[in-house]
Each structure stands twice: as C-alpha cells, then as structure tokens.
Amino acid sequence: MLKLLLQDAKSLVRTMGDPAAMVNFRAMMENTDDYIYFKDRNHVFTGASQALVTLCHPAEHWTDLLGQTDYDVFPEEYADIYYRLEKQVFAGTPVAHEIQKYLTKDGKKGWVDNRKYPIKDSHGTLIGLYGIARDVTEQMQAEAALSASEAKYRELVENANSIILKWNRRSEVLFLNEYGQRFFGYSEQEIVGQSVIGTIVPLLEGTGRDLASLMNEIFADPDKYAYNINENMRKDGSRVWISWSNKPIVEADGCVTSMFSVGTDITERKLAEHALREAHAKYEHLVENIGSEYFFYVHDTQNVLTYVSASVTRMLGWRTDELLTHYSKLLTIHPLNQQSTAYTRAGLRGEKQPPYLVEVWHQDGSTRWLEVNETPIISKNGQVLGLEGIAHDITAAKQAEESLCQAASVFEHAREGIMITDPHGHILDVNRAFTCITGYSRGEVLGQNPRLLKSGRHEQDFYAAIWQALKEKGHWHGEVWNRHKNGGNFAVLQTISTVHGKDGEILRYVSLFSDITAIKEHQKQLEYLAHFDALTGLPNRVLLADRLHQAMSQVQRHGTRLALVYLDLDGFKAINDTHGHETGDKFLTALATRMKQSLRDGDTLSRLGGDEFVAVLLDLQVQEASLPVLHRLLTAAAEAVLVDGLELRVSASLGVTFFPQAEEMEADQLLRQADQAMYLAKQSGKSRYHFFDDEHDRTVRSHHESLGRIRQALKKHEFTLYYQPKVNMRTGQIIGAEALIRWRHPERGLLPPADFLPMIEGHSLIVEIEEWVLEKVLCQIESWRCAGLVMPVSVNIDALHLQQPNFVSRLHQQLTIHPEIQPGDLELEVLETNALKDVARVTEIILACGKIGVGFALDDFGTGYSSLTYLKRLPAYLLKIDQSFVRGMLNDPEDQAILEGVLGLASAFRRRVIAEGVETLAHGKMLLRLGCELGQGYAIAQPMPAEIIPHWLAHWRSGQAWLNSDKAPDPRSSTKEREISEN
C-alpha cells in the first residue's frame, strides 16, 4: 500500500512539466494534511504542502518557504535533526527514515514519521530530495500509553479518533478499536479473525498479487510500508480513502509477528481534489475559445488561485503561469485576497450570489472594471470545495457611465460659472455658479444673449477680437469686465470654446468664467504696496528702478543729461533714539513732503529705507543745471520740522552722479556711484553735496580688472618662461641664462613682461607670480642637470617680494624640495634702485641667501645714483650694466664714459660685470676693448623656450670678429668708417 503511494508521488514529480498535472499537484499540495516538501542539493525548499506552514515561522503560505532552509524556519535544535537525516539521502541512502519531533508556531510539540527520498534527473544525477512527514504524535502517544499500562493503552485506543488496527502475517485482524468498528461498520465479533483483504481492503483480483506474497513482502521490509494511502472499503461496500501509519511489532526473538496500524480518514480531501480536477476539466475546452472580454478562474476555500484561463493575459496583462506560481500577483487580480467580501463569504457557505462589480489593477498599472459571477464548487457529500468564477471586462461601459456622471456633477457643482449657447448666441443653459456670480437666475437668462452682461468698459474692438479668435482658433481666454444684475461691475477670467459636430459644423459655445473682482482689487493694493513706501507715500526702490530706466532712455533720446542724487540725513538716528520711532516716522513723513516740493515737475524723489532717499533729476543740459535743485534739497532738509510741539532739525549729505557717461552704465551702477559720492560728502563735513568722479573711477576699475585678469592667467597656467643665454664674449663660454616671463594671452598672443608686470608693481600679486617663476626655474635647472646640462639661471626679484619676512626661509624650503640643485645654480637679480631703498635689510637678505648657495646681481646698475659707500656695503658679486648705456655707447661719448666708470668701480670693488643689450657685433667689440667680457643680448641669442636651449648650445659659436679684433672702432668715427671697420 505504501509502495504504491510512493510510486504515485514519483510519477507526479516526473510529470511536473504537464500543466494539467501541475494543477492537480498544486491542489494536492494545498489540501493534504501531510507535511510534504521538496529541496535542492543545497537543502533549500523548492516546494511544500500548505500543512507544513503550521510548523514554520514566520511563514503564512507555503510559497513563503521557497528559497529558505530548515535553519530559517525551525529552531536550531530541530533543524539539526532534520539536516542530519537529509545528509543520509545525499550520501546515497535510498530512503532516510526517522521518527522526529516537531514544534508548532504556537509552541505545541509533537512527532512526525519523516521519510526522505532522492530526486534524480534523466541521467540519474541526484538533484534534490522530497520528503513526506506524517503527524504520528497520537501514534507515539498511543505507543507510550501501551508501554506504560495495558489498561491505559486500551482506554486510549478505544477513545482515539483514529482507526487503530492490529493484524498478523496472515493478514488476520487481531484488534480493531471502537472508532474503527464504527467507521467500517463491523462489530468486534465480525471483524476479529477475518482477513484484512476482502473486508477493509479490496480483493487483490486483477492486481497480479497473491495474499501470501504480499504479506511476506510487507513483513520482510516493514519500514518500506511505514506510511501509505489506500482506498479502503466499508461493510456496506462504500469506498473510503485512509492514510495509514504502520509499525511492526517485534517479539523478543526479533521476529515481526504482527503490524500495528493507525489510520486517518482522508476521503473528503480526496473528493475535493477530484472535484477540483473536474471543475478544471469542465472549462478546459471552453476557455480556449472564449472572447477577450472574459476569463474563468477557480480558487479554493483559502482564496488560492488554482486555475485561470489564458484570456486573463489579454484582459489584465498577467501570464497564467505568473498568477499560478506567484500568489502575490493575486492581490492585483482578485479583491478577495485583500478583503473578505460578503459575496465570497456567502459563496463559500454554498449560497449562490448575484454578480458584483470590482475594480482591479492591470499589469501595466492601469485599472479595469470587472463584472464577476461566482458559483460554489460543492462535492458529492455537500462540502464546499471552492469557487469557480467568470469575470467580464466592463471597463469601457463603466468609464462611459462615470464620464456622464462626472460631467453632470461638474456642471452643477463647479465653482466656475458655466454658460452654454447655440451658434447664434442664445443661452441654452447655465449652472448654479453662473447665478451666484451674475445675480441672474437660470430662468431669467435662458434664450437671452450674453450681451445682457455687457459692462461698457470694453471697446467694440475687444469683442470683435474675441469672435475672431473663436473663428480662427476655436477658443479664447482672457479677462472681461461684466455687469451684475444689481448694476455693479465685476471682473471675470473667462474661457470660451467652440464645440463642433462630426461634420465640423458649430453646435454650441461653452463659456467658463471665475469671478476675480476681489483678486483685481487686491492686486491693485499689492501693486501700490510693491511700488510705494508705506510711510511716506514716495516711490520705493522697485518703482525707482523702473523710473530710472525710463529716465535713462529718455535723456538718451533727447540728448540731455540726468542727475542721480543719493541723499542721507545727518542726525536722524539721534531723533529716533531720543524721541522714539513714532516721532521719527512723523518727522520723515513731513520732511519727505518738503523735499519733494523742492524738486521740479518731472523729477522723482524715492525713499530707499530708513533715512536714505534718492532723487532723479531729468533733462539737464549741463551738470551745473542741477545745482539749484541740489541747494533747494539741502535747504529743505536743513529746515526745522515741528512734530507734536517739538522742533526737530537735521541736515543732508548728497552724492551726485550724472548720465550718460563715457562708458555704458547700468542703473544699479549709477546708484552705487551716487552712494559712494554721498559717503565722501559725509566725510567732508556733512550738509553738502559731492560729485562722483567717473574718470578716476574708470582708471581704478581698469586697474582692478587688469589685476583680476593677471590673477586669472596665473590660475589658468597662461604664463611661460623664456631663457636668454649669458656668455663670455672672449672665450665663448656659456655662463648661464636669465629667466624671462611671457604671457601666452589667448586673444593678444605672446606678451612681453613690459605689457603686464608694471600693472602689478607694488601689489601682492607680484609675489605670487615670482614664487611661480622660482618654482618653474628650479624644476628646469633640475631637469637640465638630469640631462647632463649645467646651466645656472638668474631670476628677477621685486623689492616687495625680497622684503617678505619669510623670503629666505621660503627660498630655502624650495631648494630643499629640489635636491639636485647645487650652489651657484640659482642667481637672483634685484634692481639697483630697489636695493638702495633699504640697504641694511637687502644686505642682510643677500648674505642669508649666500649661505644657502644663492648669489645676487644688481640689475640696471648705473641708474640708481649709488654712492661708493652703498656699493661697498652691498655684497652683490655681479653688476649688470643697464642696457641703455650699452646701446648708446657707440654714438654717445657720455654713455661710453659712464660705462668705463662702472667698469672701473667694479674692478676697484672686485665685482664682476655683465653688459645687457649687446645687440650688434659692434657692441661686443667695444665691450671687449673696454674690458667687459660678459654679455647678454640679441647679438648673442634671443630669449627662447627651455626646450630650445640644448639645440642652441649645440650650434653656438663665439663671434670670431670679436676674438680677432685687435682694435675696436673709434666711437667718434663716421658711420661709414665704423661699417668698414666692422666688415
């Protein structure tokens, strides 16, 4: 019996792919009282019966177990027991069997007969397991009772609500409890001693089995038949289904002489399964040909969907397999899973209910209205097994009905007035809001023309434009002033639309309007508050801006000028502090009136706030034309004002600017100019006016803009360094190079230092740029040294930078970062004029730099009026003769004399000398003749990028004309003679 059951289960697993079989399998799993489950090789649930949920926490439905393990749903001590038995299956045991304990969610403990079987694929590979566990708590309790006491055992057996049967190897009934006797219809005398086969088990004819072989098989391997489900029969011949639990009775010698069986009636469940299968088969053919507006479904008493026709996909978008597999989708299909309706409750009681309407969700997120007709499924014995239903999509009809209801409701309850007319303008209907807004009842206006509302505030062209818009566009929207029935005027925001027929003919006009009279009045008040000062009634800042813009446009058209006067009261704060704000407000009001009267017609006086006012004086031919008005303003402000018996007095400071100016100017810029001028008037003693100097302002702004652009260029890496070689003109030896900054301007191209450095002279920005230059130079020296090139570089340093408190420490820090730099690689050039400003400080810095290997040169030597004392005190080892002397020495005897003098001083003080501005061969010859061997200039090399230096060095040749010259040309000889000599 048990073997047949297991064969049926294995066959069911093999046919899982069959949809019909799947439906049957689902029905069985939902209704069986046994704990059935399926797991994969990882011990993860892939299926389970609904009965198993009663033991699992926190699962409510068997689908909640999917993807879980025993450790997720059972206490750990129980999960350990179940896991141990499963390992036997995966180790190769065909059947793993054990009586195991369980614990329900409400804390009740019990026992199950747990058997686990392997599941293999078509290749024989073990892919999982399935298990069947029957509740044997009562059986265990019965066995315990038997062990304790025969009397207690007898009492338990006789009173049990299960069939308890004892039978031997010959299939003879040894004992059947009273419940079993009543169930099968036999008395104890009739059944005891009789064969089980032929009494409670159908005869074996046609099965191919005989009694002896069957009994031998059962008693030889009783574990194999520990659990089975059989169709049994009663004395009256009726058939019933019994779930049996069989336990062998082992004698002292180890022989099995009899079996102890406990049976549970599961006939109703089997009938329910059969009835559900019949319900599915009933509609199987019909649903395949049903229209797209209908679908059939079946659900059990737990509202679990067990069947749904394919037409549900066309109606609601869900696939049938989605609905049958994932119960969460049922919430979007059937409202019964969200709330228990009276219809369903009555249906599950077996009562036929009328159709009802329900709104459900479509898979795409929209909603559908269904008319649902449900019929209870009733078994032969009268048990309600579930509901079968047909759903009809009535969405279109429902929407049409709702649209009509909504239209009627909107028309009657809308807060906007609605008026409908025929093509000739006769009023066909109005709503309640129309009556409230216009004062006319519905009966008074039907058949009338809307002209009865005409207020007279609009010209005929206004109404003509409305009809033109309706003709061309089919609609018009705007504001209209109408006349109320009581004669008063009211404003409405109105929309008129044309309604056309199928053939394009005009059927009617529909007008919707809202009363905006209160809004218009409030808007008028807000406009005043938004444009005028609440205290003085003068234009405020907003209106001032508008009038100033208009005034600027006006004077440009007329070719005149305007004056913008910024007025601040001197001493008003003292009035407020002494007499209170109320007195101060009265004083401001009276003073504002007096100052306004001092202006000309067309001028504007506005209050910005507090004690600040601005006046706009129009149509001035010249600036001087503003003076009379300015004097009157000063006088008006200075005169005493009587407030509540107090004589109060202030003065005013006026800042004045004019428009137009040499540059384009915005209104807010004019206001700032006048404000600045007013502060200068205050600083000058108050009670006066001050004119804004726009020329000085342009110069300052231009300087600030230049500084900003140079700072931006530094951030954008627009600066670069060029290097001009310095040589010994007699030997041809390269002694170094001077780093010269250039600006790669994105619009003006490559700019020399003279085009931008003067702008930042004396500004902190020069320090930032020279810091950048020093860092770049140190990186370049280090790079050349790594390439095998030793090239000392000199850098120009501004006095502001040189005298920074941290100059030496900062320089030492930079040198530390570049360890390849050697003493003598870096030279700093400082202008002689800068060095002479603070000889002691500069001397201290030069000595400190010398200790870290950095030398100094005095640049542009000869231009600073230096005395012999200064030259003696400054420890600069190199003097750079200013290029103006070098360039002029060929033609100017005085320049040559200065040059000779400098060379003499340098020799006397043991200083080296280098000449700048060596631009021709003649300059080089003359310098060598005078004893100056070091030179720098275009005749040697122009400034070049760092990457060009190695190439220039490879091709550098000293001028032979310099080296071979025994005698330099006489600077006093003629030009032609010098040319012949140079050639």
Side-chain angles (χ1 to χ4, degrees), residues 67 129 150 167 241 261 596 612 718 895 932:
L129 63 83
E150 181 64 29
W167 48 289
W241 285 90
S261 300
K596 183 179 179 182
E612 294 181 328
E718 294 177 2
D895 283 344
C932 180

Side-chain angles (χ1 to χ4, degrees), residues 735-753:
I735 65 171
E738 180 179 1
L740 302 170
I741 193 169
R742 298 289 188 269
W743 183 359
R744 293 191 183 278
H745 197 286
E747 297 171 357
R748 297 168 59 191
L750 191 66
L751 302 181

Side-chain angles (χ1 to χ4, degrees), residues 883-935:
Q883 57 184 335
S884 62
F885 301 130
V886 176
R887 289 173 181 169
M889 69 179 181
L890 297 179
N891 302 313
D892 190 338
E894 292 181 355
D895 283 344
Q896 182 176 338
I898 292 174
L899 191 60
E900 291 174 343
V902 170
L903 292 171
L905 284 173
S907 176
F909 285 97
R910 296 182 181 87
R911 302 288 196 272
R912 299 181 68 190
V913 178
I914 184 171
E916 294 181 303
V918 182
E919 298 186 357
T920 67
L921 192 61
H923 287 97
K925 288 181 178 182
M926 177 63 78
L927 288 167
L928 288 173
R929 177 179 174 276
L930 295 175
C932 180
E933 297 180 347
L934 306 183

Side-chain angles (χ1 to χ4, degrees), residues 220-387:
D221 187 8
D223 288 343
K224 184 177 179 181
Y225 293 92
Y227 171 78
N228 65 330
I229 296 176
N230 283 345
E231 186 181 25
N232 297 92
M233 64 182 183
R234 290 173 170 160
K235 181 179 179 181
D236 60 9
S238 61
R239 298 299 179 98
V240 291
W241 285 90
I242 307 295
S243 174
W244 293 101
S245 176
N246 307 302
K247 184 174 181 62
I249 299 175
V250 183
E251 301 297 335
D253 59 2
C255 296
V256 178
T257 60
S258 59
M259 297 288 288
F260 188 80
S261 300
V262 178
T264 302
D265 181 15
I266 61 170
T267 305
E268 289 187 358
R269 189 184 74 190
K270 298 295 287 188
L271 291 175
E273 293 173 358
H274 178 71
L276 288 174
R277 285 195 296 270
E278 285 185 343
H280 295 175
K282 176 181 177 181
Y283 296 110
E284 191 70 33
H285 175 72
L286 181 59
V287 296
E288 294 299 327
N289 302 289
I290 197 169
S292 60
E293 296 180 355
Y294 295 85
F295 73 86
F296 287 104
Y297 63 91
V298 177
H299 67 81
D300 61 19
T301 56
Q302 303 301 318
N303 288 335
V304 175
L305 197 66
T306 60
Y307 173 80
V308 63
S309 63
S311 55
V312 71
T313 303
R314 297 190 295 271
M315 282 182 59
L316 300 179
W318 301 107
R319 300 194 313 270
T320 55
D321 61 330
E322 289 180 310
L323 300 177
L324 294 174
T325 304
H326 303 291
Y327 288 163
S328 61
K329 296 291 192 301
L330 299 180
L331 298 179
T332 64
I333 291 295
H334 206 286
L336 302 179
N337 288 302
Q338 301 178 34
Q339 58 182 354
S340 180
T341 65
Y343 290 109
T344 300
R345 289 196 297 270
L348 293 176
R349 291 195 301 268
E351 302 172 10
K352 176 65 177 175
Q353 295 299 312
Y356 62 89
L357 302 184
V358 63
E359 188 176 19
V360 299
W361 289 104
H362 191 279
Q363 190 268 348
D364 62 9
S366 61
T367 60
R368 296 289 188 274
W369 277 97
L370 304 180
E371 182 182 55
V372 177
N373 195 335
E374 291 183 330
T375 302
I377 302 173
I378 302 176
S379 67
K380 293 178 181 180
N381 62 359
Q383 180 186 4
V384 177
L385 306 178
L387 294 176

